[in-house]
Each structure stands twice: as structure tokens, then as C-alpha cells.
């Protein structure tokens, strides 16, 4: 179908974002074939010019109890040599609260900031992989999103290099295993605190210092109860207060939940809560939450007293696929239920926060404690199946609608395939500009990927492939190729389940382009071949013609120039015959690239000039500039240096306006190569240096060739 357009095969996918040219095969750096690079190619790591001091710690409550443990933690955090503190203990015992207090209060010990990651070891979903976390750490340390290396191993190397000369506090919260933690340990003399229900003895070989937390002693638990209630009743009913904290097993989480319920009823004596909790524990003994009867009982007492809308929201948020959410998600959940009031969503959220059933973060998002999430899920499981299905679909539709809005803004020349929603009025985030859209996708990446898995698991295949489709800008701009591969595998299965040829072809095409960016050229070729088969079988002539262009890109990357040239020729011919002008122009542009690589610069100029004229006509300024740059390189290869520099300079101006940093760097290096050939060595040095600055931390073979040539030129004079 015609919806498979050049958003996948020629929309404005910026090499500044991807580090690769997805639209044509060209990389406009100095030609690797031009001369031999002697010696090894070395990667260098550049620390950001502006020092960034990250503060990623979520807000935590004031430390009322555990003052002795806090003092011990502070002592450990001041030890030289980068200590690793392993905080372990049962659920609800206060591990995270203690860790936050320790890292928050020692400002002078961590002048370079704090990093935080929720490893989701026991959060009801799959534990976080280190590959999900390290990119966020790099951005927190000042590396722009578009310059984070795409290779996970390179990301890890950059993370260690950037932390080696800093003094940071790193909190790795809710770890499942030592193997999950080990790759995220920073280099140098940084401090790491790891919280886990397990003791993680495997980290002892890394220098880990174990600190195990037991439940509070009775007086500390009573003090916590009094501070949370913040009134006179504990002083007036000390015996009952002691009984209450004993019923809560002196677990901080259970004590605070019980205290919050009492605080909401200032005229109710503590005795009533003692009776209710004692009775609840007896009745619910067989319904232990994660092995903990006390917390389940305390939560059941609080849940039973919730207003109807708050109970609906509490249950509905239990099926949310990610670790945290914004208030608009509550609007979606309440709008889906017959008892909900979407206009009062924030007030209902506040009711849950007031009862310590939700935590609000500094960035305006909300999250459950993992045990409370399990309780919310358990409560939803007690409800009729349609309620759970409606709540999940409402949440997934919100993310699909918002991600699609971001996709349309980031890919204005790409027509999305049809989206299907359960309701017409889906709450969604509106974006002011492309930067806001990309930031939202980045911040919700973990949740969006979890949403794809949830949709597939809930037998909503249309939502699964549509969400995958909508995340195309995130995958390429953020270089999340492992996530892209997983998402497209799910999306392709879902599209086939829907028996939707257009969706199936889109999943194969998008997945193939991601593979191409990640260096999986053979895999990309297989996926493009499959997409072509689907298009042919379904009678989609336009899709089949465009897919032939993708096939050419894979062949070009594999060095099969003759086959690539034939594929591009066929794609251009077919697209032209179908009136599909822009893809035809891109195919002609790709033919120009093959001609230049084949040592035919005059033919390359001819093809690229024709492509540029057509791209200007259809309003594609960005790709017209890329064609202009290719013309400049071809002219330079013919020793027509003055003409080449005019073309390259014109292309550079446009690419900079589009903030295409890597593509601009390729043009700068081509200008430098032209200057070098004309023996203008000082000018060549300036241009090579400017190209390296434009590449930033993005690692491409072209950037390494530039470094090598700059070294070969030596210092000025």
C-alpha cells in the first residue's frame, strides 16, 4: 500500500541523529578508498565542554527512623577508593529511603552529582537490562542524546571514561542479581549504593560492603507513626500505638500506610485501626503479598476506605506497563471506566498520594512501591475481566496516540499507517516542537517498550505493531537498535496475526532499516526481500517499488555495487511510472552514489543534479542539500575544486540549518580533503578540526579517517 512511504525510505531521518545515512547509501566523509590509513585507529573520548552536574535522585521522605544506620551509611560513603555499599532487606523495610537520605545529605562528598537507576528487580515486570540504563547515565553526564554511541559496548566504555575523573554518587535501586549491577559500576573513586531484597554476595568480589536492614525497633516505629500522623494521638494512646506498629511488623512501609489512613481521620482513635488491622490479618492470612501478610493486610484496610474513583484508579494503574506515569494516564484510566471522572484525575491522584499509596516524583510523574503495585494488580484481578481489559487498552491507547503525534511532528513527510483506538476521545500529550516530542519519547522509552510487550501479551496485535511503528523516530535518533530489533520482532508477529500486508511490509522495512543502521547488512537484506514479497503478493506496486530501493541500500553496504546499481535503477523506473516522484528522486540520488564509488564522477554529477532538481521541486530541502554535497564531492574527484567548494559550502549551510551535525561533518571533511589536494594545508587542518567538532562523540569510520588525516598533517608550520 502507498502508506509505506519514504518516512521509512526517505523522510527526514537525520544522520545527525542516526550516525548513518538511511535514505541513500552515501556517507559524505572523506573517501576511505582515497588512501591507506596506516597504524591502528583509536577512539578518543571527549568530555563535554560544559560541566554537567546530574541530580537524578528521586525525592525521598525525611529520615525519621534509622538514624544509627544513616550514620553508618554516611561513614561508608566517605571512604576513599569508590566503595560499593550493598543495602539488603525485606520488602518495605526502607532500603531506598535510607540510600536516598545518605546520598542526598553528603553534598560535599559528591561535587560531580548523583546518578540514579531503578533496576526493577522485583517490580512485577522484567528486570531492567544495563543496556537500558547506561544511555540515560550518559545523557545525565552531559552527552547529547544524538551523540550517544549506538553500540552498547561503546556506550559502556564512554560511561566509564566519563566517570573515571569524577566524584559521583550512584544509586542502583532494586537490583535482582549481581550480574545486573556489575556493568553499571562507575570507574574511578565514585560511590555506589545498591539496594536489593537479596544480599548480592556476588558483588563482594568487587569490593561490596554488605549492610542488611531489619525491621525497625518498636520505639523507632512508634516515632515514625507519630511523625507521619503529625498529631497528638500517639502521645495519648502509647499502648495502642505500640500494638499498631507490632501489627505492621514494624515495617516502615506498612507503618506509613496505616498512619496515612489515620491522618485522614483525625477524630478516630488508634484503637479502631488496631482492631481493623488485627481482623484483616486473620481473614487475609492466605492472601499474602509477595510472602508478606502484614503489608497486604495494611493495604487492604486502606483500599477498602478509598472513594470509588480512587479505587478505580488504583486498580487501573496496577496494569500500567512501565515503572512510572504522568497525570494524563490517570485521565485515560478514569475516562475508560463507568465510575471514573477524568476531569478530576489529579484530585484522585492526590488522594492516593495522601494515603501513601502513590509517590510523586520531582518531575511530576507518579510511581507505586513495587509491593503496592502488586496489591493493586491483585485488586484488579478480583474485578470482572472487562474492567482490566478496558483499563489496559485506555493506557495503551494514550501511549499510542501520543507517540503517533510525536512521530508525525518528527517525520512530517511520512504518512503514518492507520491507527485504531478503542475510544474516540483518547487523552494525549500535545507537543510544541520537535525537541519536546523527542524528549517525551526518550523519557518514556522503557514504558513504551513495555507497552508493546503488554499489547502482545494481552492479544492486542494491532496496538503492538502500531506502537512499534510510532517509535521509529526514537529508535533511529536514539540509536536504540537492540530495542528496535526486539520491538520489530513483536511487531512483525503482530502484523501477521492481523493479516495486514501493509503492516507486515512496514514492520519488515522499518526493522530492516534499523538493522542497516546497526551494521546488520545481511539481516537487513533478508528483511527487505521479505517486505518486497509481501508487497508483490498483496498487489502493492508502490510499496514493491520503494522496497527495491531499500534492497539497493543493503547491497550497497555489502559492497555489491553492480547489484545495488541495478536495484536503484529499477526502483527509480518503477516509482517514476507510478507517479511516485520523491522516492524516484532518492533512487536517482543513490545511483549517483554508486557511480561515484565506481570511479565515474561525471556520471555521479549528472545523476545527483537530476535528483537535486526533483527534490527541490517536491520541497525536500534536506535531501536536496545532500544531493548538492554529493555533486561537490564528485566535482572534487574530477579536480574541479572551485566548483566543488561552491557546491559543498551551499550544502553545508542548509545542513547546519537542519541541525544535521554528522552530515555537516561529512561535508566539512570533504571541503578539507579538497583543500589538502590543493596544498592549502592550514585550511585543511582547520576544516578537519571543525569536522571532528561537528562529529562530537558520534563514532563512524569517517570520523576516524578524519582523525588519522589530521594526525598525518601534523601541527601548523
Amino acid at each position: 500500500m502507498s502508506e509505506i512511504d519514504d518516512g521509512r525510505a526517505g523522510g527526514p531521518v537525520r544522520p545527525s541523529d542516526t550516525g548513518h545515512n538511511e535514505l541513500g547509501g552515501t556517507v559524505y566523509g572523506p573517501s576511505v578508498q582515497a588512501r591507506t590509513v596506516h597504524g591502528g585507529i583509536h577512539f578518543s573520548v571527549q568530555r563535554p565542554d560544559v560541566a554537567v552536574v546530574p541530580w537524578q535522585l528521586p525525592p525521598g521522605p525525611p529520615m525519621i527512623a534509622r538514624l544509627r544506620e544513616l550514620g553508618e551509611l554516611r561513614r561508608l560513603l566517605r571512604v576513599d577508593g569508590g566503595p560499593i555499599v550493598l543495602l539488603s532487606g525485606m520488602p518495605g523495610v526502607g532500603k531506598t529511603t535510607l540510600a536516598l537520605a545518605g546520598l542526598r545529605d553528603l553534598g560535599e562528598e559528591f561535587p560531580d552529582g548523583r546518578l540514579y537507576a531503578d533496576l526493577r528487580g522485583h517490580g512485577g515486570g522484567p528486570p531492567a537490562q544495563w543496556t537500558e540504563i547506561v544511555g540515560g547515565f550518559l545523557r545525565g553526564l552531559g552527552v547529547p542524546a544524538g551523540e550517544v554511541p549506538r553500540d552498547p559496548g561503546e556506550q559502556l566504555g564512554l560511561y566509564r571514561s566519563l566517570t573515571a575523573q569524577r566524584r559521583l554518587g550512584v544509586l542502583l535501586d532494586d537490583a535482582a542479581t549481581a550480574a545486573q549491577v556489575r556493568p553499571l559500576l562507575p570507574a574511578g573513586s565514585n560511590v555506589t549504593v545498591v539496594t536489593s531484597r537479596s544480599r548480592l554476595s556476588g558483588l563482594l568480589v568487587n569490593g561490596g560492603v554488605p549492610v542488611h536492614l531489619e525491621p525497625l525497633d518498636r520505639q523507632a516505629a512508634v516515632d515514625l507513626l507519630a511523625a507521619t500522623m503529625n498529631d497528638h494521638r500517639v502521645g495519648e494512646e502509647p499502648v495502642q500505638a505500640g500494638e499498631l506498629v507490632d501489627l505492621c511488623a514494624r515495617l516502615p512501609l506498612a507503618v506509613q500506610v496505616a498512619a496515612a489512613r489515620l491522618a485522614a481521620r483525625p477524630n478516630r482513635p488508634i484503637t479502631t485501626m488496631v482492631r481493623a488491622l488485627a481482623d484483616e490479618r486473620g481473614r487475609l492470612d492466605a492472601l499474602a503479598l509477595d510472602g508478606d501478610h502484614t503489608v497486604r493486610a495494611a493495604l487492604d484496610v486502606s483500599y477498602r476506605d478509598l472513594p470509588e474513583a480512587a479505587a478505580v484508579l488504583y486498580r487501573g494503574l496496577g496494569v500500567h506497563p512501565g515503572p512510572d506515569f504522568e497525570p494524563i494516564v490517570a485521565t485515560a484510566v478514569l475516562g475508560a471506566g463507568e465510575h471514573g471522572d477524568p476531569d478530576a484525575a489529579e484530585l484522585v491522584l492526590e488522594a492516593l498520594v495522601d494515603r501513601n499509596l502513590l509517590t510523586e516524583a520531582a518531575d511530576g510523574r507518579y510511581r507505586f512501591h513495587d509491593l503496592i503495585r502488586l496489591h493493586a494488580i491483585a485488586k484488579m484481578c478480583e474485578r470482572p475481566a472487562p474492567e482490566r481489559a478496558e483499563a489496559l487498552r485506555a493506557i495503551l491507547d494514550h501511549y499510542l496516540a501520543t507517540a503517533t503525534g510525536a512521530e508525525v511532528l518528527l517525520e512530517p513527510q511520512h504518512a503514518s499507517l492507520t491507527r485504531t483506538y478503542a475510544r474516540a476521545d483518547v487523552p494525549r500529550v500535545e507537543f510544541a516542537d520537535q525537541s519536546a516530542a523527542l524528549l517525551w519519547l526518550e523519557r518514556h522509552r522503557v514504558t513504551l517498550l513495555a507497552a508493546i510487550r503488554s499489547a502482545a501479551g494481552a492479544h492486542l496485535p494491532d496496538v503492538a505493531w502500531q506502537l512499534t511503528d510510532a517509535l521509529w523516530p526514537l529508535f533511529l535518533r536514539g540509536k536504540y537498535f537492540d530495542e528496535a530489533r526486539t520491538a520489530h520482532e513483536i511487531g512483525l508477529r503482530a502484523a501477521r496475526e492481523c493479516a495486514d500486508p501493509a503492516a507486515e511490509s512496514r514492520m519488515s522495512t522499518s526493522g530492516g532499516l534499523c538493522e542497516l543502521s546497526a551494521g546488520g547488512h545481511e539481516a537487513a537484506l533478508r528483511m527487505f526481500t521479505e517486505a518486497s514479497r509481501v508487497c508483490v503478493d498483496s498487489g502493492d506496486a508502490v510499496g514493491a517499488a520503494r522496497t527495491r530501493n531499500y534492497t539497493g541500500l543493503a547491497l550497497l553496504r555489502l559492497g555489491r555495487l553492480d547489484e545495488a546499481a541495478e536495484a536503484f535503477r529499477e526502483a527509480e523506473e518503477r516509482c517514476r511510472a507510478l507517479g511516485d516522484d520523491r522516492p524516484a528522486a532518492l533512487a536517482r540520488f543513490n545511483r549517483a552514489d554508486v557511480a561515484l564509488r565506481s570511479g565515474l564522477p561525471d556520471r555521479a554529477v549528472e545523476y545527483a543534479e537530476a535528483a537535486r532538481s526533483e527534490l527541490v521541486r517536491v520541497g525536500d530541502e534536506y535531501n536536496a542539500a545532500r544531493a548538492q554535497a554529493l555533486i561537490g564531492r564528485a566535482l572534487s574527484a574530477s579536480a574541479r575544486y572551485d566548483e566543488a567548494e561552491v557546491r559543498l559550502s551551499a550544502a553545508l549551510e542548509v545542513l547546519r540549518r537542519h541541525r544535521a551535525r554528522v552530515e555537516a561533518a561529512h561535508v566539512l571533511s570533504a571541503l578539507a580533503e579538497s583543500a589538502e589536494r590543493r596544498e592549502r594545508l592550514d585550511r585543511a587542518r582547520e576544516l578537519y578540526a571543525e569536522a571532528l567538532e561537528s562529529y562530537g562523540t558520534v563514532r563512524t569510520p569517517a570520523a576516524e579517517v578524519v582523525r588519522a588525516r589530521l594526525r598525518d598533517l601534523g601541527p601548523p608550520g
Side-chain angles (χ1 to χ4, degrees):
M1 293 178 64
S2 59
E3 289 91 343
I4 306 177
D5 79 346
D6 285 327
R8 294 296 187 266
V13 182
R14 308 287 190 252
S16 59
D17 300 314
T18 67
H20 286 277
N21 169 6
E22 306 310 328
L23 316 180
T26 304
V27 174
Y28 293 125
S31 172
V32 177
Q33 299 97 317
R35 63 179 67 175
T36 301
V37 179
H38 297 283
I41 292 178
H42 303 281
F43 291 111
S44 66
V45 177
Q46 300 175 3
R47 186 165 171 165
D49 295 334
V50 179
V52 175
V53 179
W55 184 280
Q56 297 183 345
L57 298 181
M63 202 67 196
I64 298 166
R66 299 206 183 281
L67 297 183
R68 180 185 60 79
E69 292 94 334
L70 180 59
E72 173 64 12
L73 178 60
R74 286 173 174 167
R75 184 190 67 77
L76 291 171
L77 297 182
R78 290 190 174 99
V79 172
D80 292 334
I84 303 169
V85 181
L86 310 175
L87 283 180
S88 62
M90 66 187 298
V93 81
K95 302 180 293 294
T96 301
T97 298
L98 177 61
L100 288 172
L103 289 169
R104 182 179 59 230
D105 296 343
L106 296 180
E108 73 284 356
E109 295 294 324
F110 312 115
D112 294 316
R114 321 290 197 280
L115 298 175
Y116 171 84
D118 178 5
L119 301 187
R120 308 193 307 274
H122 307 88
Q129 302 296 312
W130 68 263
T131 52
E132 298 177 30
I133 304 298
V134 70
F137 280 0
L138 289 177
R139 288 185 288 277
L141 292 168
V143 180
E147 298 181 7
V148 174
R150 74 172 186 273
D151 179 72
E154 292 184 11
Q155 290 182 13
L156 202 57
L158 182 56
Y159 168 60
R160 288 169 178 160
S161 297
L162 291 177
T163 56
Q165 303 302 320
R166 286 170 162 83
R167 177 71 175 178
L168 294 156
V170 180
L171 174 52
L172 303 176
D173 197 21
D174 191 22
T177 64
Q180 184 190 27
V181 169
R182 198 170 283 113
L184 296 171
L185 296 175
S189 298
N190 297 293
V191 168
T192 307
V193 180
V194 184
T195 70
S196 178
R197 297 184 192 179
S198 304
R199 295 181 186 259
L200 300 183
S201 57
L203 290 174
L204 297 179
V205 298
N206 296 92
V209 179
V211 176
H212 186 71
L213 297 185
E214 298 291 348
L216 299 170
D217 61 47
R218 200 178 205 227
Q219 186 56 54
V222 169
D223 291 344
L224 179 60
L225 180 71
T228 306
M229 291 173 60
N230 195 28
D231 62 21
H232 53 83
R233 281 175 287 178
V234 169
E236 293 176 352
E237 302 177 78
V239 174
Q240 291 81 0
E243 292 176 358
L244 179 57
V245 299
D246 285 343
L247 286 168
C248 292
R250 302 192 303 279
L251 284 173
L253 175 63
V255 170
Q256 287 176 304
V257 168
R261 186 169 186 268
L262 282 168
R265 292 157 185 76
N267 296 320
R268 184 171 296 180
I270 294 176
T271 302
T272 59
M273 185 65 173
V274 170
R275 287 198 298 265
L277 190 53
D279 179 64
E280 197 76 11
R281 289 188 71 190
R283 289 196 301 107
L284 298 174
D285 188 60
L287 300 176
L289 178 62
D290 201 35
D292 192 311
H293 305 269
T294 298
V295 176
R296 172 63 187 261
L299 291 175
D300 268 353
V301 169
S302 292
Y303 170 78
R304 192 172 56 228
D305 202 43
L306 287 175
E308 178 61 25
V312 169
L313 182 58
Y314 180 75
R315 297 190 300 266
L317 291 174
V319 303
H320 183 268
D324 49 34
F325 45 86
E326 295 172 325
I328 193 170
V329 175
T331 302
V333 171
L334 291 174
E338 61 182 56
H339 301 294
D341 180 3
D343 295 329
E346 295 210 32
L347 290 176
V348 180
L349 276 172
E350 288 305 312
L352 296 178
V353 172
D354 288 344
R355 290 165 172 80
N356 278 333
L357 297 175
L358 275 182
T359 301
E360 183 179 8
D363 60 2
R365 289 191 279 186
Y366 294 81
R367 66 186 303 121
F368 281 119
H369 184 283
D370 53 358
L371 289 182
I372 297 178
R373 178 191 298 278
L374 291 174
H375 181 265
I377 292 172
K379 287 300 164 188
M380 178 60 89
C381 289
E382 296 172 2
R383 305 289 298 177
E387 181 180 336
R388 179 186 177 100
E390 287 176 6
L392 178 61
R393 184 60 191 262
I395 292 170
L396 295 177
D397 279 357
H398 156 70
Y399 285 118
L400 175 59
T402 303
T404 298
E407 177 199 21
V408 169
L409 193 59
L410 290 163
E411 302 281 353
Q413 299 191 48
H414 166 242
S416 293
L417 294 179
T418 301
R419 303 291 189 240
T420 53
Y421 302 104
R423 301 166 61 94
D425 53 340
V426 180
R428 66 194 73 194
V429 178
E430 302 291 345
F431 303 110
D433 52 35
Q434 289 188 341
S435 295
L438 188 57
L439 178 62
W440 185 89
L441 291 172
E442 287 279 0
R443 289 180 63 188
H444 294 80
R445 174 172 57 95
V446 171
T447 294
L448 290 165
L449 293 168
I452 293 171
R453 290 189 289 266
S454 292
H459 306 293
L460 297 170
D462 53 337
V463 179
W465 76 255
Q466 288 171 29
L467 259 174
T468 301
D469 189 41
L471 296 190
W472 163 261
L474 172 66
F475 291 143
L476 283 184
R477 283 165 168 77
K479 308 180 186 69
Y480 300 119
F481 297 125
D482 287 341
E483 290 94 332
R485 183 177 293 114
T486 299
H488 280 90
E489 287 172 355
I490 296 172
L492 183 58
R493 288 195 298 270
R496 287 171 175 165
E497 185 177 344
C498 291
D500 186 335
E504 184 178 349
S505 178
R506 174 63 64 82
M507 290 296 95
S508 292
T509 299
S510 299
L513 287 171
C514 289
E515 288 287 353
L516 205 61
S517 296
H521 304 153
E522 291 284 2
L525 182 59
R526 289 193 297 271
M527 297 179 79
F528 295 148
T529 301
E530 177 62 16
S532 179
R533 182 197 62 76
V534 172
C535 290
V536 170
D537 290 350
S538 63
D540 179 5
V542 172
R546 294 177 178 179
T547 304
R548 190 65 178 141
N549 196 30
Y550 311 145
T551 300
L553 293 178
L555 292 168
L556 187 66
R557 296 285 178 84
L558 289 166
R560 295 157 62 176
L561 297 186
D562 291 343
E563 295 173 80
E566 179 60 19
F568 293 140
R569 187 197 63 76
E570 290 183 14
E572 180 185 3
E573 184 179 284
R574 293 183 193 178
C575 289
R576 192 79 65 197
L578 292 164
D580 204 15
D581 294 337
R582 182 167 169 272
L586 289 168
R588 173 62 67 95
F589 170 70
N590 291 334
R591 293 180 69 188
D593 182 23
V594 174
L596 183 57
R597 291 172 185 243
S598 301
L600 301 171
D602 292 340
R603 184 175 298 176
V605 170
E606 175 191 347
Y607 289 166
E609 191 67 81
R612 189 189 70 82
S613 297
E614 184 65 17
L615 290 166
V616 169
R617 187 186 69 78
V618 299
D620 189 349
E621 183 185 51
Y622 170 73
N623 282 306
R626 294 176 58 242
Q628 182 89 284
L630 192 150
I631 293 168
R633 292 187 64 238
L635 290 170
S636 181
S638 297
R640 296 159 64 181
Y641 299 122
D642 289 338
E643 296 175 73
E645 289 178 12
V646 169
R647 296 288 194 143
L648 290 168
S649 297
L652 182 62
E653 180 182 352
V654 176
L655 293 169
R656 280 176 164 167
R657 188 164 66 247
H658 281 263
R659 295 188 294 178
R661 292 186 59 186
V662 171
E663 196 75 18
H666 296 334
V667 176
L668 285 164
S669 57
L671 283 165
E673 186 174 351
S674 178
E676 187 178 355
R677 287 173 176 170
R678 303 176 79 175
E679 300 298 325
R680 298 175 179 176
L681 300 187
D682 287 343
R683 178 59 176 158
R685 289 186 188 92
E686 292 174 4
L687 289 165
Y688 281 138
E690 193 174 350
L692 283 180
E693 182 180 355
S694 190
Y695 280 123
T697 58
V698 176
R699 301 179 182 191
T700 69
E704 297 310 315
V705 171
V706 168
R707 287 190 176 92
R709 287 190 173 170
L710 197 53
R711 287 194 299 268
D712 289 345
L713 285 174

